[in-house]
Amino acid sequence: MADAPQIGKRPFLKSDPAPETGEGLSVCPGIGLKHTFDPNTPNLRQELVSGWGPVLAVWEGYSADDEIRLSASSGGAATALSLFCLEQEGNGQVVHTAADPSAPYLNKTVMSRSREDLLRATGSRYAPSSPCEGLTDVLDQPTPSVFVGKPCDVAGAYKARKNRPDLDGKIGITIAFFCAGVPSTAGNLELAKRRGAKSSSSIQSLRYRGNGWPGLWSLVYKKDDGKTEKSEMTYAESWGFLQQYRQWRCYICPDHTGEFADIAVGDPWYRPVQPGEPGKSLIVARTQRGLETIKKAAAAGYIVLETEDPDLLPRSQPNLLETRGALWARLITLKLFGAATPVYSGFGLARFWFSELSLIAKIRSFSGTVKRVFKKGLTKRIEPSES
């Protein structure tokens, strides 16, 4: 995987010509996703399935480790659960994403094996990442691994595990974090430039959230005179700029809350965050394995579970059902114009187009996609470049 700066992470062939097995394409979440969970799973919240995928339980909680809680983007639940799996569940490493030390505006896939490793990688990374490239290394480990990533990353790992029993046995548990889309490297560099960093090489560090809830976008860069300067923005300000650089794939994604993971975590946005309030996490158990892990982590003192209420999920993401409905129209429009169209099964898209969108929104869901088909050249093959 390599970074195409104007788009995002893309696979590039190591050699040309290279043998084509079709395995990579078969597990790509971008060409299609299908829910295969058992509808009779114990504790499954049937009222949430059509809009939110499999949900067994939902809590508001946080890491019992104050340092992890402060450093993390919200309540540190993903880090705390990963640490529990390392120290108590026999998992030898966590495959996830961290800032690239040699280029802090980029991400790299890492394997963490200790609390210190995990702490160095806390905080959201609103830049292209591809933790699935670490799955090959997972096969070489003597112990199972925790896999942490965006919903699409976890869905890709899910499909790969279906194809590869040897890989399935090497993944102990999967944790997804909620995602509204990934801005490109070009977008990140443009924001950094506007805040003072004239070149990518001048960037010393770039942090998007954390050290408070939701935390600040924080850039450290070197000026022309060699002195170090720091620039900060609120999360709302930085995301308001970066979101316009999301790739098209993010606009046709059916899963923003980690529906293929064992555990999904996000922000409990159902209420305003008070100034200085310690971070909180929304913690969603999506499988029996995930449910058992959450309960054991709480009993062992790694996480604190406060309110348990399945309604916290839709209340925290009030716009996602409308987004799901609009996706149905986007996919139909793409197909009508002969553009590449993913196939999704088990997401109930049509029902939400009828129930959640106003008449104006229904019209825009079609007309907006037509405009993008031509503006983005979606009917043409794109050859991404690494530079």
Side-chain angles (χ1 to χ4, degrees), residues 8-29:
K9 286 275 192 174
R10 290 294 184 273
F12 289 87
L13 296 178
K14 288 185 176 181
S15 60
D16 188 15
E20 293 186 16
T21 65
E23 186 176 10
L25 189 62
S26 71
V27 301
C28 177

Side-chain angles (χ1 to χ4, degrees), residues 327-351:
L327 175 56
W328 179 72
R330 288 172 184 167
L331 296 178
I332 289 177
T333 306
L334 290 175
K335 187 173 294 187
L336 288 173
F337 279 83
T341 309
V343 178
Y344 302 132
S345 178
F347 292 90
L349 304 178
R351 63 179 293 183

Side-chain angles (χ1 to χ4, degrees), residues 52-61 74 76-79 81 147-152 154 173-179 255-268 280-287 289-291 293-294 303 305 313 317 320:
W52 306 93
V55 176
L56 277 59
V58 181
W59 291 272
E60 183 174 0
S74 49
T79 303
L81 288 165
F147 182 87
V148 183
K150 305 182 297 297
C152 58
V154 174
I173 196 164
T174 58
I175 302 173
F177 45 83
F178 294 7
C179 178
D255 177 15
H256 297 277
T257 60
E259 297 182 26
F260 292 84
D262 293 305
I263 299 170
V265 297
D267 288 277
K280 298 285 185 72
S281 296
L282 196 68
I283 307 169
V284 183
R286 293 198 174 276
T287 66
R289 179 182 294 181
L291 181 63
T293 299
I294 293 168
I303 57 172
L305 301 178
L313 177 55
Q317 300 289 332
L320 279 190

Side-chain angles (χ1 to χ4, degrees), residues 230-312:
K230 186 175 185 178
S231 177
E232 293 182 332
M233 301 173 68
T234 66
Y235 160 65
E237 290 171 333
S238 62
W239 179 248
F241 178 87
L242 289 173
Q243 65 176 332
Q244 64 185 307
Y245 288 90
R246 290 173 294 174
Q247 61 185 319
W248 173 244
R249 168 63 177 85
C250 296
Y251 286 91
I252 52 173
C253 177
D255 177 15
H256 297 277
T257 60
E259 297 182 26
F260 292 84
D262 293 305
I263 299 170
V265 297
D267 288 277
W269 293 137
Y270 69 92
R271 58 180 177 82
V273 176
Q274 301 303 314
E277 181 180 359
K280 298 285 185 72
S281 296
L282 196 68
I283 307 169
V284 183
R286 293 198 174 276
T287 66
Q288 289 291 348
R289 179 182 294 181
L291 181 63
E292 292 169 5
T293 299
I294 293 168
K295 289 183 175 180
K296 287 194 288 186
Y302 283 78
I303 57 172
V304 177
L305 301 178
E306 292 187 330
T307 307
E308 180 180 2
D309 180 0
D311 194 47
L312 289 174

Side-chain angles (χ1 to χ4, degrees), residues 132-208:
C132 280
E133 63 189 324
L135 293 179
T136 299
D137 294 330
V138 164
L139 288 169
D140 298 329
Q141 304 305 312
T143 54
S145 300
V146 179
F147 182 87
V148 183
K150 305 182 297 297
C152 58
D153 300 323
V154 174
Y158 175 88
K159 296 180 74 173
R161 294 168 72 183
K162 292 288 186 182
N163 282 10
R164 297 280 298 271
D166 55 340
L167 176 62
D168 186 49
K170 287 289 189 175
I171 296 180
I173 196 164
T174 58
I175 302 173
F177 45 83
F178 294 7
C179 178
V182 180
S184 67
T185 298
N188 276 279
L189 290 178
E190 178 61 27
L191 180 57
K193 181 179 179 180
R194 295 189 181 201
R195 301 298 294 188
K198 294 183 179 180
S199 67
S200 60
S201 60
S202 70
I203 298 174
Q204 303 296 297
S205 71
L206 179 58
R207 189 176 177 91
Y208 298 83

